[in-house]
Amino acid sequence: MTSEITLFVNPTAGRGRGAAAAQPAADELRKAGFAVRTVVGNDADDALIRAREAVRAGTGALIAVGGDGMSSLGLQAVAGTETPLGVVSVGTGNDFARATGLPVRQPAEAGRVVAEALKAGHERRVDLGRAGERWFGTVLASGFDSRVNDRGNRMRWPSGKIKYDLAILAELAAFKTIPYRLTLDEGEPLEIGATLVAVGNGPSYGGGMRICHGAEMDDGLLDVTVVGECSRATLLRVFPRVYKGTHLSHPAVTSYRARSVRLEAPEVTGYADGEPLGPLPLTAHVVPGAVRLLVGEQ
């Protein structure tokens, strides 16, 4: 392994925490004897191009500094290669880091974990989901939650979490059951009415909402959570339970596990790791051991 590694930085993550986190993480890596090169893109597309160039050039590791969006970009660059990925998680949601037991909003500690992992060879082979050309580490969302994302992304005001709270209220007012066609592996398609269907490589999205509670990132399977037809009142009662994963016991919720999942529904956008994939239909499948993740001693 080369001693030169690449920090892949989003300076705007977590309202500026990305820029502040890069230095302490880099300091820890340099103290451990690594030469650190920093990559900052003009936008997400440019950042990904630069990260892929670093991987092709043979960097010893790619270290994503930011939130789930930056971790996701890192996955696009290293998935299917032998380049290991480190994560310095300082964003708003941090679901990927939480699911893999990595430090959250502790950039110096995250830098130490990466340095020790590189020196000692501590890594974890992690599965990824793939939909088209897009890899995802946590959850592919569709339905009510993705419509909230759509609406929130269109809103110019206010900013931050309150924007999505308002988007939830607006979508509740317009809420209708969505007719889905769901195909698991090679099985017969299921015609269902659903509020949402989430496909999880990992257990959570949205900063700790454990929509696919119990999903494991190294079992070669995707967890599928279907919130079926229910009233607005039921949805309001059930949705808060998602933070502990206890929603899975509600009669309106059904869970499956599969290696591949095809989702079909009208006027629904799919989101993976919080980023838009495009309109359904979409097919997602699991790729076992797709990334070498740098972790602490297991």
Side-chain angles (χ1 to χ4, degrees):
M1 182 203 72
T2 177
S3 63
E4 181 180 276
I5 59 179
T6 302
L7 275 187
F8 182 44
V9 181
N10 177 3
T12 65
R15 300 180 184 177
R17 284 191 294 269
Q23 193 58 55
D27 288 345
E28 293 297 326
L29 290 161
R30 290 190 177 106
K31 279 196 291 187
F34 293 97
V36 179
R37 175 174 173 261
T38 301
V39 169
V40 181
N42 296 320
D43 54 30
D45 290 340
D46 181 53
L48 180 55
I49 289 169
R50 292 169 186 250
R52 283 175 167 159
E53 287 173 351
V55 170
R56 283 195 297 270
T59 187
L62 184 70
I63 317 301
V65 183
D68 283 327
M70 207 62 178
S71 296
S72 182
L73 282 177
L75 294 176
Q76 311 314 308
V78 303
T81 77
E82 288 302 304
T83 302
L85 177 70
V87 175
V88 177
S89 185
V90 292
T92 304
N94 306 306
D95 288 286
F96 184 77
R98 292 181 203 279
T100 50
L102 295 171
V104 172
R105 297 183 186 169
Q106 302 175 68
E109 176 62 21
R112 282 192 290 272
V113 167
V114 169
E116 290 169 7
L118 286 168
K119 283 181 169 291
H122 295 150
E123 63 179 54
R124 178 184 175 190
R125 281 281 183 175
V126 172
D127 301 343
L128 295 179
R130 193 167 194 187
E133 296 301 308
R134 186 82 183 181
W135 301 89
F136 63 96
T138 57
V139 176
L140 190 166
S142 75
F144 176 76
D145 44 5
S146 66
R147 286 179 172 173
V148 168
N149 255 323
D150 281 341
R151 185 179 290 270
N153 289 343
R154 293 194 302 268
M155 293 168 64
R156 296 180 179 272
W157 182 91
S159 61
K161 185 177 182 295
I162 192 170
K163 176 169 71 172
Y164 290 94
D165 292 340
L166 292 174
I168 287 172
L169 292 175
E171 284 301 321
L172 277 172
F175 172 72
K176 292 181 181 178
T177 300
I178 301 166
Y180 274 90
R181 184 179 175 91
L182 174 66
T183 307
L184 305 173
D185 294 330
E186 304 303 319
E188 289 295 317
L190 305 173
E191 306 282 351
I192 56 175
T195 301
L196 64 86
V197 179
V199 180
N201 179 59
S204 69
Y205 63 1
M209 293 190 287
R210 300 185 66 81
I211 188 69
C212 295
H213 182 64
E216 297 179 0
M217 299 177 74
D218 55 5
D219 64 354
L221 294 169
L222 297 169
D223 282 42
V224 184
T225 299
V226 178
V227 179
E229 187 170 359
C230 59
S231 67
R232 292 184 184 89
T234 299
L235 183 58
L236 283 169
R237 285 196 303 272
V238 172
F239 208 72
R241 293 170 56 177
V242 78
Y243 285 97
K244 293 185 177 179
T246 58
H247 63 293
L248 296 181
S249 64
H250 193 278
V253 180
T254 308
S255 300
Y256 305 93
R257 284 190 171 134
R259 291 179 299 277
S260 69
V261 182
R262 182 166 176 80
L263 301 173
E264 300 172 76
E267 300 179 1
V268 174
T269 302
Y271 281 76
D273 290 345
E275 303 297 321
L277 285 175
L280 272 53
L282 290 170
T283 300
H285 66 276
V286 68
V287 182
V291 66
R292 297 169 60 193
L293 185 67
L294 297 169
V295 296
E297 188 173 2
Q298 301 293 293

